[in-house]
Amino acid sequence: MTHGAMVESLVGGRWRAGSGRRLPVVDPALGEPFAEVALCSADEVGEAIGAATRAAAAWRRVPPGERIQHLFRFKGLLEQELEALAQGITRECGKTLAEARAEVRRGIENVEVACGMPALLQGWVSEDIAAGIDELMIRQPLGVVAAVTPFNFPAMIPLWFLPYAVATGNAFVLKPSERVPLTATALGRLAEAAGFPAGVVQVVHGDKQAVDALLDHPDVRALSFVGSTPVARYVYARAAAQGKRAQCQGGAKNPVVVLPDADLEMTTQIITDSAFGCAGQRCLAAATAITVGEASGRFSEALCARAAARRIGSGLDAEVEMGPVISAESRTRIAGLVDQGLAAGARPLVDGRRAAVPAHPRGFFLAPTVLGGVAPDNPLAGTEIFGPVLCLTEVPDLDAAIRLVNDRAYGNMASLFTSSGAAARKFRYEVTAGNVGINLGVAAPMAYFPFSGFKESFFGDLHAQGRDAVDFYTDKKVVIERWPKEWSRRF
């Protein structure tokens, strides 16, 4: 897309500019706008919902085996356009090209799983629950469903929802982050090229006004959200007040626990990749490294060495290992949180707040930062930074580490690094986190498992991906039948 191009919304099978405010789309590596997005008003979101409602009535009658033919074509187009999508993600989001390619690949996995929908939609039948009476459960689509997605994974997170929603027979409305509208627009155009009928897949660009319109409209039966915990709580409460289903993924402060028997080289590589990959802007980023006993000294030194050596710059540069954060405001916020942590007693082991990339002096760059001695009462101990900052905490034993993990408000991910099977089993059994990693820094579930989350990291009952998605997007209807013999003899 050329400089100054207008990013449009897909409403009722037509691409058009919204009538609301215009916002710049900024390349975070350059610090310069290269496109403009036109936001939709509440009335225009209502138009999209109306088109989705009309489309859903016909789409639900299309057999699942036919619906997934569109998904097969959609997958093929995603594969064909993977590199172009990755380039676009890097330009508007800032992550490295390798990270962007991996993101698209993880999104495609969800399309692949949703292509198995004819089997996933199967219900249950019990004959003769009483004499001559049978009972069965069938799944039926809700109608119109929507998703509000964040800036940090502009392709993957929409694809947590879109494939399952349409494969189960619903019409789907996507409201992406207004910071990264181009990738969502590209997904909408690929869905259009895959042959989905007008209104089955729609993309509306907007801000809070658009989100509230989706939440309040009576024809929207379910809404998915990924973002910060305060907004997740707001969306969940407002959706519930309207009688809607909601799955709202919130924030995180993911701990990784390192035991003395962990492999030094492997562990430090994995943790630094987790903490500083995507510039720390992912809900599964390692945010706190809890070193146990004798692990503290040698692992802390190794982590600092790797953090200090990480190359930063434009994500389009093949030599770069970490790109910028999303905006100047984010950079200022992250640096300010580090200041607070230092004022509360943390030590700056590696300080990346004054990072500079000479080739891109206006970019929103921070270098990896490692803070030592972050006590449990330090404000940073429980605050989601959402940037390339790793906090280090020392505890005497595994029990103390598990208590520290479980005392946190968040429960998105927790990981343990060890060579002990007994320690690993104890950890996975006792920690209160939805995604648990053993010798893994990013415990991201495969598409056929739910993307879980506990406590203030998730509001709802059914998660994204896999069978949870099928349950979320369908109503279970139970039918009980009796056909007396004398009635059947009449025909």
Side-chain angles (χ1 to χ4, degrees):
M1 182 169 287
T2 59
H3 178 80
M6 181 64 68
V7 184
E8 297 179 319
S9 295
L10 176 59
V11 178
R14 294 191 301 113
W15 290 96
R16 68 190 204 193
S19 63
R21 292 183 297 127
R22 267 59 171 163
L23 296 178
V25 182
V26 178
D27 183 328
L30 301 180
E32 299 174 353
F34 66 98
E36 193 175 34
V37 59
L39 306 186
C40 289
S41 66
D43 287 343
E44 288 165 328
V45 174
E47 286 183 52
I49 296 168
T53 302
R54 293 187 293 274
W59 182 242
R60 66 163 295 184
R61 295 183 178 278
V62 176
E66 294 182 25
R67 291 198 294 257
I68 65 169
Q69 300 309 310
H70 298 282
L71 278 183
F72 281 124
R73 289 192 288 272
F74 186 49
K75 169 183 156 50
L77 291 167
L78 288 169
E79 298 275 8
Q80 180 179 314
E81 297 297 321
L82 190 151
E83 187 62 22
L85 286 166
Q87 294 270 349
I89 290 168
T90 294
R91 191 174 189 195
E92 69 178 351
C93 179
K95 63 181 61 176
T96 69
L97 197 51
E99 291 166 341
R101 291 174 183 135
E103 171 186 345
V104 179
R105 177 58 57 198
R106 292 305 299 267
I108 291 172
E109 289 175 8
N110 280 281
V111 182
E112 293 170 345
V113 173
C115 284
M117 197 55 66
L120 294 172
L121 276 174
Q122 289 175 343
W124 315 318
V125 177
S126 292
E127 284 189 319
D128 293 324
I129 59 164
I133 300 178
D134 304 328
E135 187 166 351
L136 59 151
M137 185 279 288
I138 57 178
R139 300 177 189 273
Q140 294 184 330
L142 302 180
V144 179
V145 299
V148 177
T149 58
F151 76 83
N152 58 328
F153 285 90
M156 183 187 76
I157 293 179
L159 293 175
W160 280 359
F161 308 117
L162 187 160
Y164 303 101
V166 298
T168 50
N170 300 285
F172 178 77
V173 182
L174 172 62
K175 205 300 287 183
S177 168
E178 59 273 28
R179 292 177 176 178
V180 290
L182 283 81
T183 301
T185 298
L187 294 177
R189 293 194 183 278
L190 293 180
E192 194 176 38
F196 286 101
V200 171
V201 176
Q202 299 189 84
V203 180
V204 293
H205 298 294
D207 51 14
K208 182 179 182 295
Q209 183 182 25
V211 176
D212 287 345
L214 291 168
L215 287 168
D216 294 342
H217 198 289
D219 287 346
V220 177
R221 290 282 314 280
L223 189 134
S224 305
F225 172 84
V226 179
S228 69
T229 287
V231 181
R233 185 184 288 110
Y234 167 82
V235 170
Y236 183 72
R238 189 155 178 163
Q242 304 292 334
K244 303 182 192 300
R245 293 183 188 179
Q247 48 182 192
C248 299
Q249 199 83 30
K253 184 73 174 181
N254 301 310
V256 293
V257 176
V258 183
L259 296 187
D261 63 358
D263 179 271
L264 178 65
E265 183 175 356
M266 178 194 75
T267 299
T268 53
Q269 177 66 61
I270 290 174
I271 291 177
T272 50
D273 286 346
S274 175
F276 307 123
C278 300
Q281 299 175 126
R282 55 184 175 192
C283 61
L284 292 180
T288 299
I290 303 171
T291 54
V292 176
E294 297 175 0
S296 299
R298 64 193 187 101
F299 276 100
S300 297
E301 292 175 8
L303 286 169
C304 289
R306 284 192 178 273
R310 205 167 189 92
R311 294 184 295 273
I312 64 170
S314 169
L316 295 174
D317 183 343
E319 300 300 316
V320 162
E321 297 172 289
M322 193 181 87
V325 296
I326 188 65
S327 66
E329 294 78 12
S330 287
R331 181 178 59 187
T332 300
R333 177 187 58 80
I334 294 163
L337 287 171
V338 172
D339 291 341
Q340 292 178 28
L342 294 175
R347 303 188 306 275
L349 304 181
V350 181
D351 191 343
R353 288 173 293 172
R354 294 173 179 82
V357 177
H360 304 294
R362 298 178 62 186
F364 310 135
F365 293 101
L366 290 164
T369 295
V370 181
L371 303 179
V374 180
D377 60 351
N378 190 303
L380 286 193
T383 300
E384 181 181 34
I385 300 174
F386 217 66
V389 180
L390 180 64
C391 300
L392 302 186
T393 300
E394 301 176 9
V395 296
D397 52 42
L398 179 57
D399 285 327
I402 292 174
R403 285 194 299 272
L404 190 57
V405 170
N406 291 347
D407 283 346
R408 302 288 171 86
Y410 297 114
N412 204 39
M413 183 194 81
S415 290
L416 176 71
F417 290 84
T418 182
S419 59
S420 167
R425 188 180 190 281
K426 176 182 175 68
F427 184 82
R428 78 178 192 192
Y429 191 88
E430 295 183 11
V431 293
T432 51
N435 304 294
V436 177
I438 305 297
N439 296 317
L440 289 170
V442 180
M446 296 296 291
Y448 33 84
F449 282 86
F451 191 103
S452 193
F454 290 177
K455 299 187 284 189
E456 300 220 348
S457 291
F458 182 76
F459 301 88
D461 299 300
L462 296 167
H463 298 271
Q465 301 191 152
R467 293 183 182 275
D468 266 31
V470 179
D471 284 339
F472 183 75
Y473 287 125
T474 58
D475 279 324
K476 297 185 182 74
K477 181 179 286 186
V478 176
V479 181
I480 306 171
E481 296 183 339
R482 169 189 280 148
W483 298 102
K485 293 179 181 177
E486 58 271 21
W487 290 4
S488 61
R489 285 197 294 267
R490 297 178 187 176
F491 302 98

